[in-house]
């Protein structure tokens, strides 16, 4: 992997951000920002300009550092670990410049990216509207051409945007509007006439980020403000970066989830109940800590694998990005919620940070595409693969995992393979009974597919760790043996979910009595799948030992 920063530079960037946060963003200040519902504009601007975080996503050619996807994932995870609200202020700048980075002409990139690099501009990305959220195609903001002598010399923008991060503070906005040729991105300055910013939204979480509605009333922009200098490219340009931007939000889920879980781990070492620390109680650790650590690492495996592939030029990977976002954000939410429980009554108070983290991380299943839209994206894409391959898609993936299991028997690849075979059979049953016409079936399949594919990603990651060939910039929190134990735990979870939920789903959706349950159970090798649960408790013990650094696991 040669895209982006070298390992030393990335580590330097991460250390600089950590040091800055230690000094400028202590817990007490973050709690104060949350309580006052205040956007720390000077801090976010300093992070962008002084620390040079802006430079990361700007190509070297335009004075930036040209970080790759893997670098951005590591930075986003760290930012979210510090505070998802502050991270959102930074992220909105990344996002705001994305249409230019990916869709601008060379001249536009030169013009805007150089300014963003030199001035550390705060940016905002204006896609969502009051009535166009998940369905961006329904956007109503218009851009009407202004003609001079038959030539288009500018546009007049009218309409409203909703929920725009940095909306009240940005220097530069990228705004999606309907031109005669279709949805189009425009670069809009903050002070143009007719452009109004709404009051900050009073939000459930990420209260340290600014979110505002925008109103455009006869806002005039020059024709060269069209990103890509052609109308109608807007949705394609937005789609082109989903694989990448969704990884960023996936990394937010990961960072915030781990931030909460690490606090719970530390708390459980100190808190004595029934004569011993909570950390020594299996009923506590194996419910509130271990499964969440394992799910977060499954999400990390998807994120890292997808980031490497994007950096290697392996396409946009929108579906893989969707899987990573779905897994990272859902795992982050579940981990934060468990961290409140793990703190008991203290967790329910503002003082203990996990309460704030839980409200903050909640946004990750909503923005950049909701979890339900992710389920739809994942299921639709993989359903096509199932049909195109005549049902072989997941059997083929299973075969690759079986080969991995042969070579590397300890990473749970055999169980992950069983889950893939079973998924293929569940999908085939859905095809035969025409069940995906029901949206519920399709979406639940999306959820199960994401889990099963993550089991494969984690098994591969654990194998790479054992082979000592993890990407040089990868996270190295766990030893290879601990990662293998985590992978075995997660593979069993994936297998159990297909066997129970997947089978239940298709039986529940088909006309009563029409699915041959015995044949389906045989085809998924139900007994073998159940036997694969053997050893689960021992592996959970190993993961707990690794988390609490109790043995050499
Ligand atoms: C704090 C915050 C910051 C944000 N920042 C930005 C930003 O900087 N720029 C920007 O452009 N946008 C931003 N957004 C907008 C965000 O991306 C949208 O809120 C999100 O995409 C969902 O759109 P919506 O709110 O209109 O919900 P809707 O699309 O109305 O969804 C409501 C519910 O219905 C479900 N749903 C939607 N469609 C379907 C369907 N076809 N089938 C089944 N279920 C469906 C959704 O999953 C959800 O549960 C931000 C939002 C928030 C809250």
């Amino acid at each position: 992997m040669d895209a982006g920063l070298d390992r030393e530079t990335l580590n330097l960037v991460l250390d600089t951000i950590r040091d800055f946060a230690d000094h400028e963003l202590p817990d007490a200040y973050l709690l104060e920002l949350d309580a006052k519902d205040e956007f720390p504009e000077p801090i976010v601007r300093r992070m962008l300009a002084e620390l040079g975080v802006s430079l990361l996503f700007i190509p070297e050619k335009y004075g930036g550092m040209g970080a790759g996807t893997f670098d951005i994932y590591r930075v986003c995870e760290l930012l979210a670990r510090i505070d998802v609200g502050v991270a959102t202020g930074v992220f909105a700048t990344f996002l705001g410049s994305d249409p230019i980075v990916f869709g601008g002409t060379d001249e536009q990139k030169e013009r805007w990216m150089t300014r963003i690099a030199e001035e550390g501009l705060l940016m905002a990305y204006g896609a969502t509207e009051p009535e166009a959220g998940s369905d961006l195609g329904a956007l109503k903001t218009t851009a009407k051409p202004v003609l001079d002598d038959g030539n288009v010399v500018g546009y007049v923008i009218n309409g409203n945007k909703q929920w725009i991060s940095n909306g009240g503070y940005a220097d530069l906005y990228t705004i999606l509007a309907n031109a005669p040729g279709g949805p189009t991105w425009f670069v809009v300055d903050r002070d143009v006439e007719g452009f109004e910013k709404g009051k900050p939204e009073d939000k459930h979480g990420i209260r340290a980020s600014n979110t505002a509605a925008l109103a455009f009333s006869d806002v005039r922009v020059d024709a060269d403000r069209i990103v890509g200098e052609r109308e109608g490219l807007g949705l394609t340009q937005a789609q082109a970066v989903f694989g990448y931007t969704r990884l960023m939000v996936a990394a937010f889920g990961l960072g915030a989830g781990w931030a909460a879980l690490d606090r719970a781990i530390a708390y459980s070492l100190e808190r004595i109940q029934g004569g011993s620390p909570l950390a020594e109680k299996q009923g506590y650790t194996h419910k509130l800590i271990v499964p969440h650590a394992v799910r977060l690492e499954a999400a990390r495996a998807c994120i890292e694998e997808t980031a490497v592939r994007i950096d290697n030029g392996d396409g946009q990977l929108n579906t893989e990005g969707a899987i990573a976002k779905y897994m990272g954000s859902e795992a982050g939410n579940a981990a934060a919620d468990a961290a409140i429980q793990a703190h008991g009554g203290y967790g329910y108070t503002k003082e203990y940070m996990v309460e704030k983290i839980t409200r903050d991380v909640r946004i990750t299943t909503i923005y950049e595409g909701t979890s339900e839209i992710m389920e739809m994206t994942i299921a639709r894409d993989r359903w096509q693969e199932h049909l195109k391959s005549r049902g072989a898609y997941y059997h083929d993936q299973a075969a690759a995992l079986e080969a991995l299991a042969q070579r590397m028997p300890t990473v749970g690849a055999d169980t992950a393979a069983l889950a893939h075979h079973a998924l293929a059979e569940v999908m085939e049953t859905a095809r035969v009974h025409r069940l995906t016409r029901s949206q519920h079936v399709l979406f639940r399949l999306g959820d199960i597919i994401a889990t099963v594919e993550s089991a494969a990603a984690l098994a591969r990651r654990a194998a790479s760790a054992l082979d000592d060939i993890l990407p040089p910039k990868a996270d190295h929190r766990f030893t290879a043996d601990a990662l293998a134990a985590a992978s075995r735990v997660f593979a069993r979870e994936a297998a159990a979910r297909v066997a129970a939920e997947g089978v239940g789903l298709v039986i529940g959706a088909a006309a009563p009595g029409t699915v041959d349950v015995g044949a389906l159970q045989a085809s998924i090798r139900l007994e073998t799948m159940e036997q694969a649960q053997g050893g689960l408790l021992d592996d959970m013990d190993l993961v707990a030992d690794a988390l609490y650094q109790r043995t050499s696991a």
Side-chain angles (χ1 to χ4, degrees):
M1 184 179 49
D2 50 12
L5 311 178
D6 58 47
R7 184 171 50 175
E8 289 65 37
T9 310
L10 173 63
N11 285 339
L12 195 68
V13 169
L14 295 174
D15 286 345
T16 309
I17 295 173
R18 253 182 234 115
D19 282 352
F20 180 86
D22 284 348
H23 287 104
E24 306 292 339
L25 294 166
D27 286 358
Y29 180 53
L30 292 171
L31 287 173
E32 190 186 319
L33 291 174
D34 177 67
K36 290 187 181 162
D37 200 10
E38 186 179 310
F39 173 55
E41 183 188 3
I43 297 255
V44 172
R45 284 191 182 276
R46 279 178 63 202
M47 290 177 93
L48 290 169
E50 210 175 284
L51 292 195
V53 175
S54 285
L55 301 181
L56 291 171
F57 59 90
I58 297 172
E60 284 174 288
K61 197 169 154 184
Y62 307 111
M65 292 170 77
T69 313
F70 208 99
D71 305 312
I72 299 289
Y73 130 62
R74 294 295 312 272
V75 169
C76 284
E77 181 189 0
L78 175 60
L79 289 173
R81 202 183 160 85
I82 297 162
D83 185 274
V84 184
V86 172
T88 297
V90 173
F91 171 66
T93 290
F94 284 26
L95 211 59
S97 65
D98 272 344
I100 307 171
V101 176
F102 291 91
T105 61
D106 285 347
E107 208 185 325
Q108 287 177 324
K109 285 185 206 168
E110 179 73 46
R111 175 176 174 194
W112 298 114
M113 302 319 292
T114 309
R115 258 197 77 193
I116 297 166
E118 281 172 3
E119 298 171 36
L121 299 182
L122 195 64
M123 298 203 55
Y125 175 88
T128 306
E129 299 191 356
E131 288 164 53
S134 301
D135 178 16
L136 271 186
L139 91 161
K140 292 205 171 88
T141 299
T142 55
K144 201 169 153 220
V146 179
L147 298 174
D148 183 20
D149 231 3
N151 296 319
V152 178
V153 293
Y155 289 83
V156 175
I157 301 178
N158 277 292
N160 296 286
K161 295 288 168 185
Q162 185 72 23
W163 315 123
I164 306 306
S165 302
N166 293 347
Y169 291 84
D171 304 303
L172 205 60
Y173 297 73
T174 39
I175 300 295
L176 191 64
N178 253 327
T184 304
W185 287 102
F186 291 86
V187 182
V188 180
D189 287 325
R190 64 181 297 168
D191 294 324
V192 281
E193 216 183 306
F195 180 14
E196 299 284 333
K197 292 104 192 163
K199 65 175 177 44
E201 301 289 351
D202 184 3
K203 303 191 296 294
H204 172 63
I206 58 166
R207 292 164 70 82
S209 79
N210 168 260
T211 316
L214 308 176
F216 297 85
S217 168
D218 287 335
V219 171
R220 164 76 204 256
V221 293
D222 290 340
D224 64 0
R225 294 297 180 113
I226 283 192
V227 176
E229 288 186 353
R230 254 180 58 211
E231 293 178 5
L233 301 176
L235 293 183
T236 320
Q237 288 164 345
Q239 284 272 347
V241 293
F242 271 158
Y244 171 75
T245 56
R246 285 174 178 164
L247 276 196
M248 296 187 204
V249 180
F252 283 3
L254 192 60
W258 266 119
L261 212 57
D262 277 333
R263 284 170 190 272
I265 289 170
Y267 181 79
S268 65
L269 286 163
E270 300 291 322
R271 177 73 175 167
I272 312 287
Q273 285 295 283
S276 61
L278 293 172
E280 290 171 17
K281 299 173 196 301
Q282 241 187 14
Y284 176 96
T285 55
H286 289 30
K287 177 182 177 191
L288 301 175
I289 309 289
V290 171
H292 299 289
V294 165
R295 285 177 202 142
L296 287 167
E297 288 310 295
R300 184 192 301 287
C302 294
I303 296 171
E304 289 201 351
E305 199 166 81
T306 308
V308 168
R309 288 182 60 193
I310 293 179
D311 281 343
N312 285 343
D314 208 359
Q316 294 169 0
L317 302 182
N318 284 355
T319 307
E320 287 71 14
I323 291 176
K325 181 186 188 274
Y326 184 70
M327 297 301 293
S329 60
E330 292 289 342
N333 271 276
D337 190 61
I340 288 189
Q341 188 73 12
H343 281 76
Y346 298 95
Y348 198 60
T349 64
K350 304 255 177 192
E351 193 186 334
Y352 277 74
M353 284 302 273
V354 288
E355 185 272 342
K356 183 181 98 63
I357 297 172
T358 304
R359 281 184 289 110
D360 288 350
V361 73
R362 192 67 190 79
I363 189 60
T364 61
T365 63
I366 298 174
Y367 63 17
E368 268 311 277
T370 65
S371 278
E372 294 69 42
I373 298 302
M374 296 304 102
E375 289 170 350
M376 178 163 70
T377 304
I378 297 161
R380 276 186 179 164
D381 182 87
R382 296 310 195 232
W383 184 247
Q384 288 308 315
E385 297 292 351
H386 178 81
L387 297 182
K388 265 195 304 192
S389 64
R390 296 176 182 273
Y393 185 73
Y394 282 114
H395 287 308
D396 290 348
Q397 312 273 333
L401 286 162
E402 280 155 2
L404 177 62
Q406 284 269 320
R407 192 176 72 73
M408 194 72 87
T410 60
V411 296
D414 46 354
T415 309
L418 284 171
H420 280 68
H421 279 307
L423 176 58
E425 296 299 335
V426 165
M427 288 173 81
E428 186 54 14
T429 308
R431 187 192 67 78
V432 170
H433 293 266
R434 299 166 161 253
L435 303 181
T436 54
R437 287 188 296 190
S438 142
Q439 198 196 37
H440 175 64
V441 172
L442 196 69
F443 280 34
R444 295 327 324 128
L445 275 178
D447 170 46
I448 295 170
I449 288 167
T451 306
V452 169
E453 290 200 25
S454 303
L458 186 53
R460 287 190 289 269
R461 188 169 194 272
S464 295
L466 284 168
D467 281 332
D468 204 14
I469 53 162
L470 279 179
K473 292 186 278 188
D475 174 86
H476 282 89
R477 175 178 181 138
F478 292 101
T479 64
D481 287 338
L483 217 49
S487 181
R488 295 193 296 272
V489 171
F490 192 75
R492 292 188 185 97
E493 178 171 328
R497 290 203 55 203
V498 191
E501 287 170 48
V503 169
L505 181 69
V506 287
I507 295 173
T514 57
V515 174
D516 182 341
V517 177
L520 179 58
Q521 286 177 340
S523 74
I524 68 163
R525 292 186 252 166
L526 184 61
E527 205 179 320
T528 316
M529 283 179 93
E530 282 172 351
Q531 272 164 1
Q533 296 298 323
L536 175 61
L537 190 57
D538 286 347
D539 281 336
M540 292 181 85
D541 287 345
L542 283 177
V543 176
D545 286 346
L547 286 167
Y548 286 98
Q549 297 175 350
R550 289 196 283 239
T551 67
S552 59

